[in-house]
Amino acid sequence: MNETKQKILDAALDLFSQKGFSAVSIRDICKVVDIKESSVYYHFKNKRDIFDELLLRFEAIAADLMGRLEEGLSTPPDTYEGDLFEKTCDCFFEKYLMDGYCNKMMRLLSIEHLHNEEMQKIYADWIFDRPLQFQAKVFSVLTAAGIVKTKDSDYLAVKFYGPIFLFMQRWLFHGALTEECRQTFRENAYRHVNYFFKEMEEI
C-alpha cells in the first residue's frame, strides 16, 4: 500500500477512535499527517471512504479470527481436555479485544453508535451478536462433550459475556489502552472464566 495512504488511514483511525467519526474533519487528518487536503482526495473520495476502508480491514481481521475459532470447534467432543473455552477466550481477548487495530475500531463504533443508526448496527453485530452466537455454539459443544451440564447455551453465553463486556468497557474502551489496562482486564476476565466454570461444575 502507498505510504501516504497508509499514514492517512493510521491518522484517521487514531482520531476517529478518540473523537468519533463525526467530530473529525479531513483537515484534522491532514494536520496529523502533515499533507495537503488534495493529497487525501487523491487516495480517497471523502471521509466516509476512509472509514469504509478501515471497516473492511477490521471485518476481515475479525472474520478471520472467528473462522479460526470455528475450526477449533470441529474437533470431536471426546478429544477435549476441558480447556476449550479457555483457549477460545485467550484468542478472543488477546487477538480481538486487545489488538491495537481492532480495539481502536471498537472504540470508534462505541462513540458513533450513540447517534448513528448504521454504526449502531455494525457495533451491535461485532460487540454483541457475533460474540454471543459464537459463545453459545461453544457451550453447545461443551454440553455435548459432557463438560457443561446446563443445556440453555444462549443463556450461558449471556451469563458468561455480561461480566466480560463490563470489563471491556472499564479497562479496554476507556482512556488509553495501556499495558496496565490490558493486564487488569486479563486478571479480571480470567478470574471470571475460572469462577464461571467452577460454578458450572457445582451445578
Side-chain angles (χ1 to χ4, degrees):
M1 180 183 292
N2 178 279
E3 184 179 354
T4 300
K5 184 176 182 179
Q6 187 59 59
K7 286 181 178 179
I8 293 169
L9 289 169
D10 292 342
L13 181 57
D14 283 342
L15 291 171
F16 291 162
S17 67
Q18 295 166 19
K19 303 178 180 180
F21 176 80
S22 303
V24 175
S25 68
I26 291 291
R27 185 172 296 178
D28 293 329
I29 297 169
C30 291
K31 187 175 181 180
V32 172
V33 183
D34 193 22
I35 57 175
K36 296 179 180 180
E37 288 190 40
S38 58
S39 297
V40 173
Y41 293 119
Y42 176 78
H43 297 286
F44 301 97
K45 297 176 183 177
N46 48 41
K47 187 175 69 167
R48 178 56 195 252
D49 196 29
I50 297 174
F51 170 78
D52 287 342
E53 185 149 342
L54 291 169
L55 181 61
L56 279 175
R57 181 184 170 193
F58 168 70
E59 291 184 329
I61 294 172
D64 177 67
L65 177 61
M66 294 300 290
R68 282 186 280 149
L69 290 174
E70 290 278 358
E71 287 178 8
L73 295 181
S74 64
T75 306
D78 57 4
T79 65
Y80 293 146
E81 298 177 353
D83 62 347
L84 172 65
F85 212 87
E86 286 85 344
K87 289 179 179 178
T88 59
C89 285
D90 177 69
C91 188
F92 183 70
F93 296 161
E94 300 293 335
K95 296 181 176 64
Y96 184 59
L97 298 180
M98 290 189 282
D99 172 77
Y101 186 89
C102 291
N103 183 272
K104 288 178 183 177
M105 282 300 299
M106 287 184 275
R107 285 168 178 255
L108 159 60
L109 294 171
S110 295
I111 296 170
E112 288 298 316
H113 89 281
L114 297 173
H115 52 80
N116 184 308
E117 186 174 348
E118 181 184 1
M119 293 198 193
Q120 184 179 51
K121 292 177 181 177
I122 299 171
Y123 174 82
D125 187 36
W126 289 105
I127 300 294
F128 295 113
D129 297 342
R130 294 191 189 224
L132 285 170
Q133 288 167 9
F134 177 77
Q135 289 160 15
K137 186 178 291 187
V138 171
F139 282 119
S140 294
V141 170
L142 293 178
T143 298
I147 297 171
V148 171
K149 305 301 181 184
T150 305
K151 295 184 178 181
D152 191 339
S153 57
D154 290 330
Y155 168 74
L156 288 178
V158 172
K159 186 176 181 180
F160 177 85
Y161 192 54
I164 298 299
F165 179 74
L166 171 66
F167 301 151
M168 287 160 48
Q169 293 296 320
R170 184 172 183 183
W171 289 297
L172 302 186
F173 298 159
H174 180 74
L177 183 62
T178 63
E179 186 52 42
E180 182 180 0
C181 288
R182 286 186 171 96
Q183 188 57 34
T184 304
F185 172 81
R186 289 185 187 103
E187 291 170 358
N188 284 273
Y190 283 108
R191 183 166 60 223
H192 165 61
V193 172
N194 290 330
Y195 285 161
F196 183 88
F197 278 96
K198 284 181 181 178
E199 184 179 308
M200 290 297 99
E201 289 174 3
E202 292 174 2
I203 294 175

